[in-house]
Amino acid sequence: MSKKLVSIIILGICLLLVGCGKEVVDSNFTGKWKLESSGIGMSDGTDYTETKKADIPSLDFDIDSDGNVKELYIDDTVAITNSYKLKQEKDNEYQYDGPIICKKVYEYKTESEKEKVQSELNTLKAKDNVKITKSAQKGDEYQIDLKVEEQDFVLSMEIENEKLIFKKVDNKEKVLIKQTYKKN
């Protein structure tokens, strides 16, 4: 065999091995999920209360095996798309791997709703870990694009009765947010 052919074969094997890397997120967690219930409490599980069914927004959650996550949150006044990457820390614990890219589109009809949007923008500008990349008004909509650099949450996921249990624990504030999703 010629040296050129051997080199091509070795290069092909190397590329194949690189492509066969371990998935970042367990395949049980991958796919499209729809929010079914949500609640908040202390990080140790005490004082946990479920959100009223009427107060639960529409939230879709899409996770791929490479750890890419896309969340779509919609309520009466805002549509939010969050995109981020997860890295595995322990068996079912994950951490944000890089910034959260967020797009918020607010719809307002009254002056008080417009003032709330302006107040939200001012709050975001005051945060150290948030960088606003776009802020624009178009008709009765206001779009804010931002990058959130650091998060204090430890994330965990588990499957229980064919439902995804997604927990965010903020160790700094000692708060637990627990969300249950059904497969879409």
Side-chain angles (χ1 to χ4, degrees), residues 13-25 65-67:
I13 291 171
C14 289
L15 290 174
L16 181 64
L17 291 174
V18 169
C20 295
K22 184 178 181 265
E23 58 188 19
V24 175
V25 174
S65 62
D66 291 330

Side-chain angles (χ1 to χ4, degrees), residues 11-12 20 38 78 101 110 141 150 154 164 172 174:
L11 179 62
C20 295
S38 181
V78 66
I101 305 301
T110 66
E141 285 188 357
E150 62 181 59
V154 173
L164 173 68
K172 185 177 171 186
K174 306 289 186 221

Side-chain angles (χ1 to χ4, degrees), residues 5-51:
L5 182 59
V6 171
S7 296
I8 291 172
I9 291 171
I10 291 174
L11 179 62
I13 291 171
C14 289
L15 290 174
L16 181 64
L17 291 174
V18 169
C20 295
K22 184 178 181 265
E23 58 188 19
V24 175
V25 174
D26 185 319
S27 61
N28 291 328
F29 304 133
T30 61
K32 295 180 186 290
W33 301 88
K34 181 90 173 148
L35 183 65
E36 193 172 76
S37 67
S38 181
I40 190 165
M42 301 306 293
S43 60
D44 63 3
T46 59
D47 296 331
Y48 181 80
T49 52
E50 287 279 327
T51 306

Side-chain angles (χ1 to χ4, degrees), residues 157-170:
M157 295 186 283
E158 58 190 68
I159 300 293
E160 187 177 292
N161 298 326
E162 297 183 12
K163 296 187 181 189
L164 173 68
I165 310 298
F166 185 72
K167 296 178 185 175
K168 297 180 190 179
V169 176
D170 183 339

